[in-house]
Amino acid sequence: MTDPYAVPDMDELLAQVRKQTEEVQRIQRTVEAMEIKAHSRQNEVTVTLRGDGRFTSIDIDPRAIREYDARNLSEIVLEAVNAGLQKLAEASSAKFAPVIAAAKDV
């Protein structure tokens, strides 16, 4: 049985915090370097974004430009953009999941 009144070893606690901080920073760099591609439902629009959330390209199928009016095309672009943001959020969560799980165990 452990003593509930025992004082924790501060050097050990600081070492754990440093280790977790370094791990979070490493994962953050990994996330920022990711490149995510996403599409609209029927692949009329493809977006590419980086892990920092900046879009690097939006490609629109030329057939979609001829087929849809401006309002419908803008909705398709928004659909692809939102799909990209969702994929980025999921990928980021997956990268950070081990750190979050470890923090809960402490």
Side-chain angles (χ1 to χ4, degrees), residues 8-9 18 24 30 39 44 59 63 66 74 77 80 84 86 92:
D9 180 356
R18 274 191 214 102
V24 167
T30 302
H39 312 277
E44 305 98 329
D59 298 311
R63 287 176 291 167
R66 291 188 300 270
S74 69
V77 170
Q86 181 65 36
S92 297

Side-chain angles (χ1 to χ4, degrees), residues 52-71:
D52 62 4
R54 293 189 317 178
F55 286 83
T56 57
S57 72
I58 297 176
D59 298 311
I60 302 172
D61 185 325
R63 287 176 291 167
I65 294 171
R66 291 188 300 270
E67 189 174 326
Y68 299 104
D69 64 15
R71 181 182 182 137

Side-chain angles (χ1 to χ4, degrees), residues 4 15 19 29 37 48 52 54 63 72 79 101 103:
K19 183 179 175 186
R29 287 189 300 273
K37 284 191 179 275
T48 306
D52 62 4
R54 293 189 317 178
R63 287 176 291 167
N72 287 330
E79 179 182 299

Side-chain angles (χ1 to χ4, degrees), residues 72-85:
N72 287 330
L73 190 55
S74 69
E75 288 174 4
I76 294 168
V77 170
L78 279 175
E79 179 182 299
V81 165
N82 287 328
L85 292 171

Side-chain angles (χ1 to χ4, degrees), residues 8-64:
D9 180 356
M10 292 307 287
D11 290 331
E12 185 179 321
L13 286 175
L14 287 173
Q16 286 176 343
V17 168
R18 274 191 214 102
K19 183 179 175 186
Q20 287 177 337
T21 301
E22 289 168 2
E23 182 67 7
V24 167
Q25 290 171 343
R26 183 191 66 75
I27 293 170
Q28 183 64 37
R29 287 189 300 273
T30 302
V31 167
E32 288 173 356
M34 288 189 310
E35 183 176 274
I36 304 290
K37 284 191 179 275
H39 312 277
S40 59
R41 264 178 275 156
Q42 295 181 12
N43 296 321
E44 305 98 329
V45 176
T46 301
V47 297
T48 306
L49 67 153
R50 294 181 7 189
D52 62 4
R54 293 189 317 178
F55 286 83
T56 57
S57 72
I58 297 176
D59 298 311
I60 302 172
D61 185 325
R63 287 176 291 167

